Amino acid sequence: MTNVLITGGSGYLGGSLLAYLKQNPTVLPPGTTLYGLVRNEEQAQKTRSHYGIDPLILDLASQQAITNTFLEKNITVVAFLIDARRSEVQVRIIKALAKVQAKMGRQAHFIQTAGAKGFSSHAGFPLEPPVEDVDGGLYEIHKEGRGKESAARSMCEADVAIVEAAEEFGVRAYIVAPCIVYGEGEGFGNRISIQTVAIVKAAKATRRVYNVNQGRAVWPVCHVRDQSALYARLLHNILSGVEVNYNKKGFFLASPGAVAWRDLYAAMAKALLRKGLIDDDEVHDADEKAVAEMARGLGCEPKMVAFSLGGVCTWVPRHGKSIGWKPEHAPEHILEAADDEVELILKNI
């Protein structure tokens, strides 16, 4: 029997993963027990009813609380889906997993949810020639990442700290990087993504859709069910004893491929115009005034607008498919689904 803790059940990615696992009960080997991390009794009740698993209320600020709970529940696998920009909690969890590993004599595993921004122009990541997520030198490239934005730097630093902690304590870590994820979440909490939401919010504030990039900017995309399927496949292989690359070689980009930001802007502009939320469906080049207006709509500083809904990521996904992941949606599906995405976002913001 293997006991697995999954965090983020009230969030977009974590909730969708837990729903996916409930809908596909044979994905994980027999004898697997799932726990869902929750913050309060209300979430605990929803975790039981929505996902059919036992909740855990745990003080993540306390090393002792984490370690004692893990030892009591014999938790040896954690999928962490709640924070890509810090590493303190994740390192505490890795230390606790090492204690259970020593107690049970069973390899422990930690899955970190990162972000494609840490592998993009925002983090100074190499763009040409493109780097594959199976590249043996990826860890060193990532470690040296020096982006202009502190948010991108913090993502890189968190991933590196997690890998280093895993190596120090003998735990196997896997860094899964979501990209532009879209589609309706299936958890009991948040049901919408981030970047597509930012496009809608900025467009509502300016009544136009603006391009904030220079030249041809591309970014990987992934439907939320395909994102869940990658997590599930990784868990399946880990729990089944299938050898999977880990730590410095354990990076996974969850994506079937990339689309151009301008194409995504254009598809969403057409959907937004049909809703009467913008004045035309053209994609306009953003000037300083437009960026300031977009920032107000997003509730951020102007320098963070491009970080929220732009940039270049040429990182190539290979790792997921190498472990048996089969995405159902082609990259272009996000353009075809723009009307549904806009409708979903408007219902939830």
Side-chain angles (χ1 to χ4, degrees):
M1 177 175 287
T2 304
N3 296 337
V4 179
L5 175 64
I6 296 178
T7 73
S10 63
Y12 181 61
L13 296 181
S16 296
L17 171 58
L18 286 170
Y20 182 93
L21 293 174
K22 181 182 179 181
Q23 296 160 12
N24 299 274
T26 61
V27 168
L28 302 184
T32 302
T33 298
L34 290 179
Y35 293 96
L37 183 70
V38 299
R39 293 189 297 270
N40 51 53
E41 186 56 38
E42 180 184 0
Q43 287 187 355
Q45 293 175 5
K46 290 181 178 178
T47 295
R48 292 188 188 96
S49 62
H50 201 85
Y51 309 127
I53 63 173
D54 290 332
L56 279 184
I57 297 176
L58 182 59
D59 181 7
L60 295 179
S62 169
Q63 181 68 66
Q64 183 174 358
I66 297 171
T67 301
N68 289 347
T69 300
F70 279 30
L71 286 169
E72 176 189 347
K73 301 293 186 181
N74 292 325
I75 292 170
T76 56
V77 180
V78 174
F80 195 84
L81 293 92
I82 55 178
D83 194 347
R85 298 186 182 184
R86 286 175 289 274
S87 60
E88 294 85 358
V89 171
Q90 296 94 313
V91 170
R92 292 186 198 114
I93 289 174
I94 288 169
K95 290 178 179 178
L97 286 170
K99 295 286 188 180
V100 184
Q101 181 170 284
K103 169 191 170 184
M104 300 187 66
R106 179 182 297 176
Q107 181 64 55
H109 305 266
F110 180 84
I111 300 173
Q112 162 71 359
T113 298
K117 287 185 172 69
F119 304 85
S120 74
S121 57
H122 297 300
F125 194 76
L127 304 177
E128 292 296 339
V131 178
E132 297 184 348
D133 63 353
V134 293
D135 190 304
L138 181 56
Y139 170 79
E140 294 300 331
I141 296 172
H142 194 48
K143 186 174 182 179
E144 294 171 2
R146 294 292 183 269
K148 295 179 181 179
E149 298 300 336
S150 60
R153 286 198 303 273
S154 65
M155 288 181 182
C156 299
E157 291 164 359
D159 294 344
V160 169
I162 289 162
V163 169
E164 291 180 347
E167 296 218 320
E168 178 181 355
F169 293 100
V171 173
R172 295 186 178 183
Y174 313 84
I175 309 295
V176 175
C179 46
I180 298 177
V181 186
Y182 68 101
E184 184 170 10
E186 298 182 284
F188 63 74
N190 180 36
R191 303 179 77 86
I192 54 176
S193 186
I194 299 174
Q195 288 94 339
T196 53
V197 175
I199 294 172
V200 171
K201 286 183 175 180
K204 286 184 67 179
T206 62
R207 294 199 61 85
R208 280 184 165 188
V209 172
Y210 285 100
N211 174 32
V212 297
N213 303 293
Q214 300 295 322
R216 180 172 171 78
V218 299
W219 202 273
V221 299
C222 190
H223 191 276
V224 66
R225 282 192 61 81
D226 288 333
Q227 174 75 56
S228 296
L230 177 56
Y231 282 118
R233 186 67 195 184
L234 182 55
L235 283 168
H236 168 86
N237 285 14
I238 290 170
L239 298 174
S240 300
V242 177
E243 190 70 20
V244 180
N245 291 331
Y246 57 90
N247 292 358
K248 292 183 178 180
K249 295 184 177 180
F251 292 84
F252 296 79
L253 171 58
S255 173
V259 300
W261 277 108
R262 198 172 191 99
D263 292 342
L264 179 57
Y265 298 150
M268 297 195 72
K270 289 180 173 59
L272 287 162
L273 181 63
R274 282 191 280 270
K275 291 290 184 182
L277 295 174
I278 57 177
D279 296 326
D280 62 66
D281 61 3
E282 297 296 317
V283 177
H284 304 270
D285 290 328
D287 56 17
E288 188 174 334
K289 179 182 177 182
V291 170
E293 292 175 354
M294 294 169 76
R296 283 192 289 273
L298 294 172
C300 68
E301 297 179 23
K303 68 177 183 178
M304 293 300 292
V305 170
F307 184 82
S308 299
L309 45 74
V312 182
C313 180
T314 60
W315 199 25
V316 180
R318 295 277 186 268
H319 216 165
K321 292 181 180 179
S322 77
I323 66 168
W325 175 59
K326 297 178 181 179
E328 296 180 1
H329 302 82
E332 297 75 21
H333 180 261
I334 193 172
L335 309 178
E336 300 162 4
D339 278 308
D340 292 338
E341 187 72 4
V342 167
E343 182 73 26
L344 170 66
I345 292 167
L346 294 175
K347 287 180 179 178
N348 285 274
I349 60 173

